[in-house]
Amino acid sequence: MTTTTVQSEKPGPAAHDKRNPVAAFFRQREIPVAAALVALVLITFAINPLFLSPQSVKDLLLNATIMIILAVGQALVIITRNVDLSIGSIVGLVAFGTGSLFNIAPGMPIPLVFLIGIVFGGLLGAVNGLLVTLAKVPALVITLGTMYIYRGILSTWAGSKQYFSGDNPKEFGNLSVDTFFGFPIITIMAVVVVVIVAIVLGLRRGGRDLYAIGSDPDAAKLFGIPTGRRVMAAFIACGALTGLAGILYASRYNSVGALTGSGLELDVVAAVVVGGVAIFGGSGTVVGAAIGAVLLSTITSSLTATRVDKFWQQAIVGVLILAAIVIDRVVSIRNTRKLRVSEARDV
Amino acid sequence: MSEPVKTGQPLSATQTLIDTSAAPKRGLPRWLRGNDAIIFAVLIVVILVASISVKNFASTLTVGFLLIQIVPIILIAMPMALVIISGEIDLSVASTAGLTSAVMGVLWRDSGMDIWVVMALCLLVGVAAGAFNGFLITTLGLPSLAVTIGTLALYRGLALVVIGDGKVSNFPAELTALSTAKIGTTGIPVVMILVLVVIAFFAVLLHFTPFGRGLYALGFSKEAATFVGIRVGHAKFWLFVATGVVSSLVGVFWTLRFASAGPDNATGIELSVIAAVLLGGVSIFGGKGSIPGVVAGVLLIGTLTYALRLAKVPETTLVIVTGALLVISVVAPSLTGWIRERIRLTRVRREVQRLSTSGQTSA
């Protein structure tokens, strides 16, 4: 009896995919988002050819970069059925911290600044992770609390002080201007981040564990997965990536102060959800989340390029999020039905 | 605690049950020992300490300022408590209030209708917004967290579409005055009457009707609730309509109080509302919480913020206090639970050890 059930699981979706790789490719969760992004770019280009001029593409990529990194970090946490609402405050803290670092030690080597920022972000993420895993309180509540606490610390630290991009060393500011074969350097960094995280998440044991935890935490624990440690790692990784985003924020934008990054959290969660990561964990990829981030940041530019009333932008973002959730739901219902049918056939 | 030991079977399930069910009869009455009582106690301590140590705190002026400041939070916190108890969440409340404010401004500016008609139509905005949330969540079965993040963006976006970046501010003076008026010399704002009505409505609904009791069952287990005969979808749908209506009520109040209708009114208060509700002892997992607790939670945050502000504590520290309160309020119960469990376990272990050694000697 047990052997039949174990065997019947294997020729399920996997065998189906092998039979028809093209169909399997199109069933990937990222496809609808990617298609929407391509359609958006093409339509905008058709209306306004200037939309794909080199300068405009560079701006598009630059605008998306920080969102991509944040979305990748957030996706890691959401896949484990948690959420991190404190990232906006972490971006602010690290961005302001970067500004004050350069203020104290102008000659500091840039890699060291990156290291400090990433470790700082990781520490803030570790506080979230500790509270979530030790106190066993939902991440939504804890990170809502730390969102306020981190923001309060930042406001106390910064006061009304602001650091402007002129205060930073020139090479640091140039990071977000320089290009490499037409691609901005920080965008290449973001792509590297996406690739690394995607490999760890998709192929490594620890990464696969995150999915198991997200789809059923109790079962994952019974299975012998160190859930506490994995969730903790997800929060630290999210914090570290958010720290990286914070440094890039300081490089990219004109000024950093007490309000830097506030309100980012819901935008990022939206990007992740649009990218096909289920809000209750267990499915989705960081590539999807990254595409979701690009889609959301491109909408703003393409609405401007097509001269759509700027007031419609946010409403359209809202509709997109809802559409993404509905599509996700339809796909998962269809998959469940298919699984049930194939299992019934095999038994 | 020593009774079950005498029988020689300290670990049997029935005895543990008897033990816990017998416990409430001893010591303090039940209503003095719950989480609500702790929040009320903290609230009273804060008020006492503030009255003694903060200059000018104990005055009717305080009552007026404090109460009018918490009106939006306490109003939305009522239906929000019910939504969270039933195991869902609504993040779109502030955007609904903003959309209502925008609609109110445009209707008043362009339609030439009577202000009361405009206000009534505005409440319909809340009904529609809540019903749309409810439809997506109950009929399509989508997770409320994701849906209301979507409608948070959508409703705020629609507010921008409706009114642009303009402001409307020429509302009738007697109405804007009424929104901040006080009852006689008590310092209590007139609008508190409305607040009390809303609190009473939701308190009765939650604690004294089958519908309200059903929400607890719903929050514990949706499947079980369905089997008991609770119409899960139906109940949730109406809860979201309720948050929508109350949010638009807040939108109207906000517009009148600041005599300004704009697209960014009430931005971001959803997180303050949720923080207050959770501080008031409502479990984010659903199934637990009460209206008195939530009222105390809102008052606690309001009083503390106001007292600290009066004591010239910088605004930034207040944010930290809010966040810390929220974290402590959720970490503390699980911490005490953990400690209690450890104490119970060591006691059980000791009893078992004692019994086994006494068993050995008798044998």
Side-chain angles (χ1 to χ4, degrees):
Chain A
M1 189 57 209
T2 25
T3 43
T4 35
T5 37
V6 169
Q7 277 171 353
S8 70
E9 265 173 25
K10 276 187 179 167
H16 201 80
D17 287 358
K18 248 178 233 161
R19 257 174 263 151
N20 193 345
V22 180
F25 175 76
F26 280 106
R27 260 201 307 279
Q28 297 275 318
R29 301 181 83 100
E30 296 83 14
I31 293 304
V33 208
L37 178 61
V38 171
L40 177 72
V41 170
L42 288 182
I43 292 170
T44 317
F45 179 63
I47 297 170
N48 183 356
L50 281 179
F51 185 63
L52 285 186
S53 68
Q55 181 56 40
S56 157
V57 169
K58 188 181 148 193
D59 284 341
L60 273 183
L61 292 173
L62 277 176
N63 289 338
T65 300
I66 290 171
M67 281 297 277
I68 291 176
I69 297 176
L70 288 172
V72 168
Q74 186 70 259
L76 285 176
V77 173
I78 291 186
I79 284 172
T80 65
R81 203 183 274 190
N82 285 294
V83 71
D84 189 347
L85 293 181
S86 69
I87 54 166
S89 305
I90 297 181
V91 166
L93 269 173
V94 174
F96 189 79
T98 310
S100 29
L101 259 186
F102 281 125
N103 191 40
I104 301 162
M108 190 173 262
I110 289 172
L112 185 62
V113 173
F114 270 82
L115 186 67
I116 293 173
I118 290 171
V119 170
F120 185 30
L123 280 178
L124 294 172
V127 172
N128 288 332
L130 264 184
L131 285 169
V132 169
T133 53
L134 281 190
K136 299 203 172 52
V137 175
L140 182 75
V141 187
I142 290 290
T143 57
L144 183 59
T146 52
M147 175 188 98
Y148 285 122
I149 296 176
Y150 293 165
R151 178 66 57 191
I153 293 172
L154 172 59
S155 322
T156 313
W157 182 15
S160 56
K161 199 176 173 79
Q162 285 197 327
Y163 289 112
F164 295 95
S165 51
D167 304 340
N168 298 332
K170 219 172 183 100
E171 314 86 86
F172 183 67
N174 282 345
L175 268 183
S176 50
V177 184
D178 289 348
T179 54
F180 185 77
F181 290 113
F183 288 99
I185 289 177
I186 61 169
T187 309
I188 296 173
M189 278 165 78
V191 172
V192 170
V193 165
V194 173
V195 170
I196 293 174
V197 178
I199 289 173
V200 171
L201 195 61
L203 301 176
R204 303 290 304 176
R205 174 76 187 269
R208 302 305 306 171
D209 283 354
L210 296 186
Y211 287 100
I213 295 168
S215 35
D216 192 334
D218 297 329
K221 196 170 279 171
L222 282 179
F223 192 66
I225 294 170
T227 49
R229 229 163 53 208
R230 294 283 188 263
V231 170
M232 182 79 197
F235 271 101
I236 293 177
C238 177
L241 288 173
T242 309
L244 176 62
I247 302 165
L248 297 181
Y249 193 104
S251 157
R252 165 97 175 105
Y253 292 97
N254 227 341
S255 67
V256 289
L259 287 177
T260 297
S262 57
L264 263 180
E265 55 280 339
L266 292 183
D267 289 347
V268 173
V269 173
V272 173
V273 171
V274 166
V277 177
I279 192 87
F280 284 128
S283 67
T285 63
V286 289
V287 176
I291 299 175
V294 177
L295 179 61
L296 286 194
S297 61
T298 307
I299 282 180
T300 318
S301 322
S302 62
L303 287 178
T304 322
T306 50
R307 299 211 179 75
V308 172
D309 193 346
K310 70 174 182 205
F311 299 129
W312 277 96
Q313 276 168 21
Q314 200 169 4
I316 290 175
V317 169
V319 170
L320 250 181
I321 299 171
L322 293 176
I325 309 165
V326 172
I327 289 174
D328 189 71
R329 177 76 183 165
V330 172
V331 168
S332 81
I333 288 178
R334 208 196 289 152
N335 281 350
T336 325
R337 196 176 298 148
K338 217 172 271 168
L339 264 178
R340 208 173 287 152
V341 169
S342 72
E343 262 172 31
R345 201 189 297 131
D346 289 335
V347 170
Chain B
M1 278 317 274
S2 60
E3 284 155 12
V5 179
K6 279 177 195 158
T7 62
Q9 288 170 315
L11 292 174
S12 94
T14 41
Q15 246 124 23
T16 352
L17 273 180
I18 293 166
D19 212 283
T20 46
S21 62
K25 284 182 188 162
R26 288 196 294 266
L28 292 163
R30 210 170 131 228
W31 61 273
L32 267 180
R33 299 184 308 126
N35 279 332
D36 292 2
I38 298 173
I39 307 159
F40 269 108
V42 174
L43 174 63
I44 291 168
V45 169
V46 167
I47 293 176
L48 285 180
V49 171
S51 312
I52 297 165
S53 61
V54 180
K55 216 176 127 197
N56 296 335
F57 182 81
S59 73
T60 52
L61 215 60
T62 298
V63 178
F65 277 124
L66 200 156
L67 288 179
I68 203 146
Q69 228 148 44
I70 62 169
V71 166
I73 306 285
I74 203 163
L75 279 176
I76 303 181
M78 292 299 116
M80 183 70 88
L82 270 62
V83 166
I84 297 182
I85 285 172
S86 76
E88 303 285 340
I89 198 161
D90 188 349
L91 292 175
S92 69
V93 286
S95 297
T96 306
L99 176 57
T100 308
S101 178
V103 169
M104 185 171 166
V106 169
L107 278 182
W108 173 243
R109 187 184 63 194
D110 300 342
S111 72
M113 279 185 280
D114 186 62
I115 188 71
W116 292 99
V117 180
V118 169
M119 277 156 55
L121 286 175
C122 281
L123 293 188
L124 287 183
V125 172
V127 174
F132 185 57
N133 280 336
F135 167 76
L136 291 173
I137 291 159
T138 59
T139 314
L140 300 187
L142 303 171
S144 55
L145 180 63
V147 166
T148 55
I149 285 180
T151 50
L152 175 138
L154 176 63
Y155 297 159
R156 185 66 68 187
L158 287 179
L160 273 165
V161 172
V162 168
I163 200 168
D165 47 11
K167 292 252 189 235
V168 175
S169 50
N170 59 336
F171 293 100
E174 64 271 17
L175 265 179
T176 54
L178 181 67
S179 68
T180 51
K182 309 283 189 298
I183 304 173
T185 52
T186 54
I188 298 171
V190 176
V191 65
M192 283 313 283
I193 298 172
L194 173 75
V195 171
L196 283 180
V197 170
V198 172
I199 292 176
F201 175 79
F202 282 102
V204 170
L205 185 67
L206 179 64
H207 295 295
F208 299 105
T209 65
F211 176 84
R213 303 307 304 172
L215 295 182
Y216 287 99
L218 202 56
F220 268 119
S221 163
K222 215 168 82 179
E223 286 74 21
T226 315
F227 280 119
V228 177
I230 295 163
R231 294 160 72 193
V232 173
H234 179 263
K236 283 188 179 168
F237 180 83
W238 287 108
L239 281 186
F240 280 97
V241 172
T243 45
V245 172
V246 176
S247 305
S248 59
L249 202 62
V250 167
V252 170
F253 168 73
W254 197 288
T255 313
L256 290 178
R257 189 197 157 191
F258 297 104
S260 152
D264 52 355
N265 274 357
T267 301
I269 63 167
E270 65 274 347
L271 296 183
S272 318
V273 169
I274 291 169
V277 169
L278 297 177
L279 187 65
V282 175
S283 160
I284 189 83
F285 295 118
K288 239 188 268 173
S290 75
I291 292 295
V294 173
V295 172
V298 177
L299 286 175
L300 179 58
I301 289 190
T303 314
L304 203 59
T305 317
Y306 187 80
L308 290 177
R309 200 173 285 155
L310 212 58
K312 301 220 166 54
V313 171
E315 204 77 8
T316 55
T317 319
L318 295 180
V319 183
I320 303 181
V321 170
T322 311
L325 264 180
L326 181 60
V327 170
I328 292 168
S329 74
V330 290
V331 170
S334 65
L335 205 65
T336 51
W338 182 75
I339 292 170
R340 225 173 267 160
E341 183 66 15
R342 283 303 291 267
I343 293 174
R344 198 184 68 83
L345 277 179
T346 41
R347 187 182 292 145
V348 167
R349 211 168 286 146
R350 210 183 303 132
E351 294 294 354
V352 170
Q353 211 159 35
R354 200 169 60 89
L355 279 173
S356 64
T357 50
S358 67
Q360 273 166 4
T361 47
S362 69

